[in-house]
Amino acid sequence: MVEFSEPVQKDSFILGLDVSTFCTGFSIWNLEKDKLEKAGFIPLKKLNSWHEKVDAVCSVLEEIKENTNKVTYIAIEDILQKFIVGKSSIKTIITLAGFNYVIQRKCYEIYNITPVLFNVLRSRNLADCSVPRGVKSKDFILRRVCELHPEVKNQLPLMKTKNEFAKEAWDVSDAIVVGRAAAATLLPDRPKEIVKETPVPEEDLIDF
């Protein structure tokens, strides 16, 4: 359970981040209006070094701070919960965990806010995005986010050669989920306007 030393300001914003060295997704949640304000991604796969990747993320974090100026809470998806036993190499774990930690530190330096890490499964539950058993999680989360926030669908990146969402869209949707989860912990008494829907059949997940 997340604890706070003082009441959270409602005229403020949550910055949600899904951090990876391939692409970092972000979302901005308006606490006063209790709504998603903006979402996007920071492409990093073409950058060669950690320094370049960190600089690219920091540049966007600075831009968000300049344009929003009321970010009072930062939620980051806990990268360690994503690793699959037996399928994630030690090198991958060290690289992603290290990069995640560096971005956490940069968030603190830029915003003077200590980020809060959110467990993947708990985030999905809090965000009304729990994945049914036997369903591909990435595709389900992407579709569910589009159901909850239809305006996002037209902003998600598409593949260059196919009329399908690019992989970066997964990072955007994960960032939205962690932002929604943080909002649920900060505004626990808000009206329950979202009703859980019947799980989407797996064969329907890819076709948006």
Side-chain angles (χ1 to χ4, degrees):
M1 193 67 170
V2 181
E3 297 181 355
F4 304 95
S5 57
E6 57 185 26
V8 176
Q9 304 174 45
K10 285 197 173 184
D11 57 337
S12 58
F13 295 84
I14 297 169
L15 173 61
L17 295 173
D18 176 59
V19 178
S20 81
T21 54
F22 170 80
C23 171
T24 290
F26 68 87
S27 67
I28 301 173
W29 192 274
N30 187 321
L31 273 171
E32 184 178 16
K33 298 180 180 178
D34 194 15
K35 59 171 288 194
L36 178 67
E37 200 71 43
K38 184 177 178 61
F41 67 98
I42 309 165
L44 303 172
K45 64 180 179 179
K46 292 184 179 180
L47 301 179
N48 297 319
S49 71
W50 258 39
H51 297 291
E52 292 177 307
K53 293 175 187 287
V54 170
D55 286 347
V57 174
C58 288
S59 176
V60 174
L61 293 178
E62 293 279 10
E63 183 180 352
I64 291 173
K65 180 182 179 182
E66 181 179 345
N67 292 325
T68 307
N69 203 33
K70 287 187 179 181
V71 171
T72 56
Y73 190 96
I74 300 175
I76 299 180
E77 185 176 275
D78 190 348
I79 194 71
L80 293 177
Q81 300 294 328
K82 284 188 170 183
F83 296 127
I84 302 174
V85 177
K87 292 187 178 181
S88 298
S89 69
I90 295 297
K91 181 178 180 180
T92 298
I93 293 174
I94 291 174
T95 299
L96 294 181
F99 188 71
N100 189 286
Y101 178 79
V102 170
I103 299 305
Q104 290 177 45
R105 177 63 192 181
K106 290 299 182 181
C107 285
Y108 177 76
E109 292 175 358
I110 293 171
Y111 291 94
N112 196 29
I113 296 170
T114 300
V116 177
L117 297 183
F118 276 76
N119 172 281
V120 174
L121 296 180
R122 182 168 181 263
S123 292
R124 292 172 179 174
N125 182 54
L126 288 169
D128 195 20
C129 294
S130 296
V131 181
R133 289 187 179 182
V135 173
K136 294 178 181 179
S137 61
K138 288 183 179 294
D139 291 328
F140 178 85
I141 292 297
L142 180 55
R143 184 178 183 89
R144 181 64 177 145
V145 164
C146 287
E147 290 173 347
L148 295 169
H149 304 284
E151 71 279 10
V152 172
K153 185 174 178 180
N154 295 327
Q155 302 174 26
L156 294 173
L158 297 173
M159 292 184 180
K160 293 182 179 180
T161 57
K162 297 180 181 179
N163 188 28
E164 297 178 9
F165 289 130
K167 290 182 178 180
E168 290 84 352
W170 292 336
D171 300 288
V172 178
S173 61
D174 284 343
I176 292 173
V177 168
V178 78
R180 283 177 58 87
T185 65
L186 297 174
L187 304 170
D189 298 326
R190 68 183 179 185
K192 301 295 182 181
E193 299 178 353
I194 301 171
V195 179
K196 277 188 175 292
E197 301 180 9
T198 303
V200 181
E202 185 173 355
E203 60 270 19
D204 294 340
L205 292 177
I206 304 300
D207 182 13
F208 284 81

